[in-house]
Amino acid sequence: LALQLRNWSKGVLSQLSSCNSHGRVSPVLIAQQRNNSTSQKIQVDFDQSTGVAVMRMQNPPVNSLSLEFLTEICINVEKLEMDKSCRGLIITSDRPKVFSAGLDILEMYGKTPERCAEFWKAVQEMWLKLYSSNMATIAAINGSSPAGGCLMSLTCDYRIMADNPRYTIGLNETLLGIVAPFWFKDTMVNTVGNRSTELALQLGLLYSPAEALKVGLVDQLVPEDQVLTTATKTMSKWLAIPDHARQITKSMMRKPTIDRLMSNRESDIKNFVGFITKGSVQKSLGMYLEMLKKRKA
Ligand code: CO8
């Protein structure tokens, strides 16, 4: 089964990688949009009457982004993107207390260089698809959102977070002894500016919701039980803008950042694999995993 899954995701990812310079996908893998679809780890509810889809992540325990999960996210986003009646996408979590724990650390620990490369390509793909989406996108952040989880929410046009001081959000890579790559950094700079990014990335800052609002990492805080309803209401404001004007504006703002990764994908994969397979980095990741386990105990 593992082998089948691996081959399947390989095939899908190689198809998914046929993006144009905006990260938009050529008409491969075109699937007619169904109203609702549920895969094992993702539930998509598409409301034809509003043109808004809600994508719920349900990858227990903490929605960590494994190769398999990233592939499912890409497939679901692509299906929605292809359906011109879908104009808005809300991303949220079905798991309690966590939006996404970020990249699956186990995908970066003790893995072969080939597998690491395959994984990283999927991380790139997820970012490209979401950051260049023509849909209006809102992250309904109903739990903690470290590292890759924060990156995923940063790809959206607007972020609404649950006002619960126990939750945190940020690019905390340095705490794991790893380094956020240039396109993580660019996405953060585009959102909160250079100085806040410099502090956040070097110190691996994980912000409380109130702090995140203050630096502009999220746009709005609401009580936990109102995250999704607020996202839905906010989406209608975004969809009141004519699509083409909003889309061209979004592309104008994001294209230089997207192009930068598009023209450096292979070297970025090489850098990642070279870095992550280093003995010293593996040791740091091992210690971080131990710390996560101990903290639990
Ligand atoms: N990957 C894999 N497993 C994880 C992850 C993860 N990111 N996060 C948590 N887990 C595991 C835990 O180890 C634990 O496993 P087990 O049940 O076997 O002990 C299980 O998930 C549940 O975790 P918790 O008990 O900690 O759950 P809580 O609800 O108490 O807390 C949190 C949830 C806040 C999300 C907490 O788990 C946490 O802080 N996790 C770590 C988050 C993190 O630091 N992620 C960083 C990932 S790296 C990344 O995304 C970008 C990398 C860029 C690479 C660049 C290299 C060049």
Side-chain angles (χ1 to χ4, degrees):
L1 179 69
L3 188 66
Q4 272 176 346
L5 187 62
R6 195 180 152 93
N7 289 338
W8 168 77
S9 55
K10 250 189 196 164
V12 167
L13 284 171
S14 67
Q15 281 182 294
L16 288 179
S17 61
S18 52
C19 294
N20 66 18
S21 62
H22 297 270
R24 293 276 311 194
V25 177
S26 329
V28 289
L29 255 186
I30 298 176
Q32 278 304 311
Q33 178 57 38
R34 282 144 271 157
N35 284 354
N36 299 307
S37 68
T38 309
S39 64
Q40 243 182 338
K41 298 172 189 292
I42 302 250
Q43 159 140 18
V44 177
D45 293 310
F46 178 46
D47 183 341
Q48 291 274 5
S49 67
T50 58
V52 178
V54 177
M55 186 171 96
R56 288 183 175 79
M57 298 182 280
Q58 44 189 36
N59 186 25
V62 288
N63 284 335
S64 62
L65 302 163
S66 62
L67 175 59
E68 186 193 352
F69 189 39
L70 286 163
T71 306
E72 283 200 26
I73 292 171
C74 285
I75 289 171
N76 278 284
V77 172
E78 181 178 324
K79 278 185 191 167
L80 297 170
E81 197 77 53
M82 292 297 184
D83 181 350
K84 295 301 162 216
S85 67
C86 183
R87 300 172 58 219
L89 171 65
I90 295 171
I91 303 176
T92 194
S93 166
D94 207 41
R95 305 296 310 155
K97 300 189 293 181
V98 183
F99 177 75
S100 165
L103 303 189
D104 190 330
I105 299 167
L106 298 173
E107 292 280 14
M108 301 183 280
Y109 186 64
K111 293 285 187 286
T112 63
E114 293 73 24
R115 170 75 189 199
C116 289
E118 202 180 341
F119 172 65
W120 198 247
K121 193 173 176 187
V123 180
Q124 291 179 337
E125 202 61 50
M126 182 269 292
W127 180 84
L128 285 167
K129 287 222 176 329
L130 288 173
Y131 205 53
S132 68
S133 174
N134 264 332
M135 297 179 280
T137 52
I138 295 181
I141 310 166
N142 50 349
S144 286
S145 196
C150 175
L151 179 79
M152 186 187 241
S153 60
L154 285 175
T155 64
C156 293
D157 297 308
Y158 196 79
R159 281 160 289 286
I160 298 165
M161 189 170 186
D163 193 6
N164 182 335
R166 279 179 307 167
Y167 299 157
T168 59
I169 182 166
L171 294 180
N172 61 324
E173 279 77 359
T174 52
L175 299 183
L176 288 75
I178 56 180
V179 180
F182 70 88
W183 44 285
F184 283 46
K185 179 267 294 172
D186 288 346
T187 317
M188 182 87 159
V189 169
N190 291 349
T191 311
V192 301
N194 207 76
R195 179 58 185 152
S196 294
T197 302
E198 196 170 30
L199 288 172
L201 292 194
Q202 289 196 52
L203 297 173
L205 294 180
L206 283 169
Y207 297 94
S208 68
E211 293 164 340
L213 182 68
K214 201 168 163 202
V215 294
L217 190 57
V218 299
D219 298 296
Q220 194 177 347
L221 302 182
V222 295
E224 195 150 356
D225 59 350
Q226 289 168 31
V227 174
L228 196 54
T229 48
T230 309
T232 308
K233 270 189 215 145
T234 307
M235 183 60 88
S236 58
K237 280 192 213 156
W238 283 75
L239 296 188
I241 307 297
D243 279 343
H244 68 282
R246 186 189 49 72
Q247 288 161 354
I248 294 168
T249 307
K250 179 171 177 173
S251 169
M252 177 177 71
M253 296 299 294
R254 297 186 173 194
K255 192 174 182 301
T257 309
I258 291 164
D259 286 351
R260 200 160 161 227
L261 177 60
M262 285 303 287
S263 46
N264 291 291
R265 280 191 83 169
E266 283 311 315
S267 61
D268 181 58
I269 292 173
K270 261 197 198 139
N271 280 345
F272 171 76
V273 174
F275 181 80
I276 212 75
T277 53
K278 269 188 195 160
S280 56
V281 175
Q282 286 291 303
K283 200 171 156 199
S284 293
L285 287 177
M287 282 161 55
Y288 191 78
L289 279 167
E290 275 305 307
M291 182 280 290
L292 279 178
K293 288 211 185 311
K294 274 195 195 127
R295 202 187 54 153
K296 198 175 173 182

